[in-house]
Amino acid sequence: MDLGADLSHVQDFSMASADDAAIWELAKRENWTIVTKDKDFRARVAVYGAPPRVILLQIGNCPLEAVEGCIRRAWPFVLKLHEKQSATLLLATQDAAFLLHERLA
């Protein structure tokens, strides 16, 4: 993507079958943001806070182009997610994005 961010997939780290905890720890250690459709990460960020931050795509099964379009539409909110110290979670749908600033728990 040409949005000025480096993107990697868990497969790039031989972690395609890794559990959520292992992915979380890698992202935390590297200060990365997790982009996922897995709702379990919403619960994890509610309990542990950031880092890492989480972008939860609520778009169901769809082609990669739809995922990219969702991220592009949410990009201004992605930038805000990283500007605000207390921001931990971004929910993104096909039509909207919602930035949650505080821990949920």
Side-chain angles (χ1 to χ4, degrees), residues 1-3 35 37 55-60 62-81 90-99:
M1 253 191 257
D2 58 352
L3 296 171
V35 180
K37 291 183 185 180
I55 299 171
L56 180 60
L57 304 177
Q58 296 185 311
I59 56 177
C62 57
L64 185 56
E65 294 80 21
V67 173
E68 182 178 344
C70 181
I71 292 171
R72 285 184 182 283
R73 284 186 294 281
W75 196 251
F77 293 94
V78 172
L79 296 176
K80 288 181 182 182
L81 177 69
L90 174 69
L91 302 178
T93 68
Q94 288 288 26
D95 302 315
F98 305 94
L99 183 62

Side-chain angles (χ1 to χ4, degrees), residues 5 8 19 23 25 27 33 35-36 41 50 54 71 80-81 87 91 96:
S8 299
D19 66 9
I23 294 167
E25 287 305 316
T33 298
V35 180
T36 184
F41 283 100
V54 174
I71 292 171
K80 288 181 182 182
L81 177 69
L91 302 178

